[in-house]
């Protein structure tokens, strides 16, 4: 017997509710819907849900168990005749198992889910951090990569090209090994610029800048955490140059002060890197 419910696969965007699509907002705010949520979906977006929701605790090491729990919740919902909204961070089809979930719903439930795309952090996060992923004369190609391959393995890396930008998603927890592999396996110069955009689109967004040789220490010093997007390549320096930062403090102190000319942003220079912390997102 075919289940009476249906499934909609929805992208939540990088995290800020302002970056939800109109249709995504409409679907998650319908109080009659059951929403199955990924762990990294922000609290600000959870606050927009008006009906029942369940959060999958997909922590490292237990992702497969959590994924099976997600499928079980979805199955229970559709068998009860409900509209199940599967809410995933970013865009569901960019390293988000969106395709895998579509196949599972087809094979186990005989359901073709409706798909609502989300804004992917792969492009939105660098943009919000004032980093163009392409720039004439600097970068003419973009590679997207995840920090975790199948069964927790490290992904293969494409070899270095001076006019290439690489954007890593879900990789900040492996930053040190990633940098090692970029140099020793993909032949990247150790002084290749790297930026990490943390909590893109939120008032406490930070952009941490260094190079392959320094970014791991910088990120640890400033306690950079997920959700974060890593950008590797010369595009990091296209807009974020030293001339943009009027205030400079001792690099060992990591202190900062507010600059009247920076639009209300907190500018910090510490341990070889720059942090830009916007107070608001227009």
């Amino acid at each position: 017997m075919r289940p009476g419910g249906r499934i909609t696969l929805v992208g939540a965007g990088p995290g800020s509710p302002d970056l939800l699509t109109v249709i995504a907002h409409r679907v998650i705010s319908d109080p009659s819907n059951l929403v199955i949520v990924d762990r990294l979906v922000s609290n600000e977006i959870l606050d927009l849900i008006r009906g029942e929701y369940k959060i999958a605790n997909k922590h490292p090491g237990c992702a497969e168990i959590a994924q099976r729990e997600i499928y079980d919740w979805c199955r229970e919902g559709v068998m009860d005749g409900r509209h199940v909204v599967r809410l995933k961070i970013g865009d569901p089809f960019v390293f988000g198992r969106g395709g895998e979930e579509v196949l599972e719903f087809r094979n186990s439930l005989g359901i073709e889910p409706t798909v609502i795309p989300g804004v992917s952090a792969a492009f939105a996060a660098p943009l919000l951090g004032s980093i163009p992923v392409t720039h004439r004369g600097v970068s003419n190609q973009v590679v997207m990569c995840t920090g975790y391959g199948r069964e927790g393995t490290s992904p293969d890396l494409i070899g270095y090209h001076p006019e290439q930008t690489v954007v890593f998603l879900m990789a900040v927890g492996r930053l040190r090994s990633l940098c090692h592999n970029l140099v020793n396996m993909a032949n990247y110069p150790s002084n290749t610029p790297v930026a990490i955009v943390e909590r893109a689109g939120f008032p406490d967004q930070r952009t941490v800048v260094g190079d392959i040789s320094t970014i791991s220490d910088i990120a640890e010093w400033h306690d950079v955490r997920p959700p974060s997007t890593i950008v590797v390549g010369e595009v990091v320096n296209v807009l974020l140059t030293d001339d943009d930062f009027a205030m400079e403090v001792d690099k060992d102190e990591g202190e900062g002060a507010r600059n009247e000319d920076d639009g209300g942003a907190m500018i910090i220079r510490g341990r070889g890197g720059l942090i830009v912390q916007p107070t608001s997102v227009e």
Side-chain angles (χ1 to χ4, degrees):
M1 182 178 65
R2 289 180 60 84
R6 58 194 177 101
I7 298 176
T8 300
L9 189 61
V10 181
S16 169
D18 291 336
L19 295 177
L20 279 171
T21 62
V22 173
I23 188 172
H25 180 272
R26 184 166 67 245
V27 169
I28 69 173
S29 61
D30 186 330
S32 67
N33 293 341
L34 169 63
V35 185
I36 308 300
V37 188
D38 276 351
R39 177 177 63 89
L40 288 178
V41 171
S42 67
N43 291 329
E44 290 82 352
I45 289 179
L46 293 181
D47 289 341
L48 299 177
I49 299 174
R50 293 294 174 259
E52 179 186 0
Y53 68 87
K54 298 180 180 181
I55 302 175
N57 293 315
K58 196 181 291 185
H59 294 278
C62 62
E64 295 302 324
I65 296 175
Q67 191 66 41
R68 178 47 54 187
E69 185 176 46
I70 288 169
Y71 292 146
D72 289 343
W73 286 341
C74 291
R75 180 181 180 83
E76 292 169 4
V78 296
M79 295 304 292
D80 288 339
R82 303 190 67 178
H83 180 187
V84 177
V85 177
R86 177 70 180 99
L87 186 63
K88 300 175 69 63
I89 192 170
D91 185 286
F93 290 86
V94 181
F95 304 122
R97 295 195 188 211
E100 294 178 30
E101 295 195 9
V102 168
L103 293 174
E104 175 68 21
F105 299 143
R106 284 179 183 172
N107 296 333
S108 65
L109 297 174
I111 289 179
E112 185 69 28
T114 300
V115 176
I116 298 175
V119 174
S120 174
F123 296 115
L127 173 64
L128 292 169
S130 297
I131 300 170
V133 292
T134 64
H135 189 81
R136 187 167 55 180
V138 178
S139 174
N140 56 25
Q141 52 186 283
V142 182
V143 177
M144 289 187 294
C145 191
T146 176
Y148 292 83
R150 193 170 183 83
E151 298 180 352
T153 60
S154 296
D156 293 332
L157 299 173
I158 295 177
Y160 172 72
H161 188 285
E163 294 189 0
Q164 176 176 279
T165 303
V166 186
V167 179
F168 290 94
L169 302 178
M170 301 176 292
V172 71
R174 287 186 167 178
L175 181 59
R176 194 170 294 279
S177 62
L178 174 64
C179 290
H180 177 271
N181 291 341
L182 283 170
V183 172
N184 292 282
M185 298 174 61
N187 298 317
Y188 272 72
S190 60
N191 63 349
T192 302
V194 181
I196 306 174
V197 184
E198 180 187 44
R199 286 181 57 80
F202 287 93
D204 59 345
Q205 172 187 314
R206 297 192 298 178
T207 302
V208 183
V209 180
D211 60 35
I212 289 179
S213 68
T214 63
I215 193 65
S216 298
D217 289 337
I218 294 169
E220 288 183 7
W221 178 261
H222 294 293
D223 194 26
V224 175
R225 298 185 179 187
S228 294
T229 302
I230 302 170
V231 186
V232 180
E234 296 298 329
V235 290
V236 169
N237 289 332
V238 168
L239 300 181
L240 289 178
T241 67
D242 286 347
D243 291 339
D244 295 318
F245 304 95
M247 188 279 300
E248 183 172 335
V249 299
D250 187 280
K251 67 179 181 179
D252 294 323
E253 295 296 326
E255 298 173 349
R258 193 169 300 279
N259 186 314
E260 295 298 327
D261 297 325
D262 61 26
M266 180 72 77
I267 308 299
I268 306 172
R269 180 185 293 273
R271 298 181 67 84
L274 297 173
I275 296 178
V276 187
Q277 185 173 354
T279 57
S280 64
V281 176
E282 297 298 333

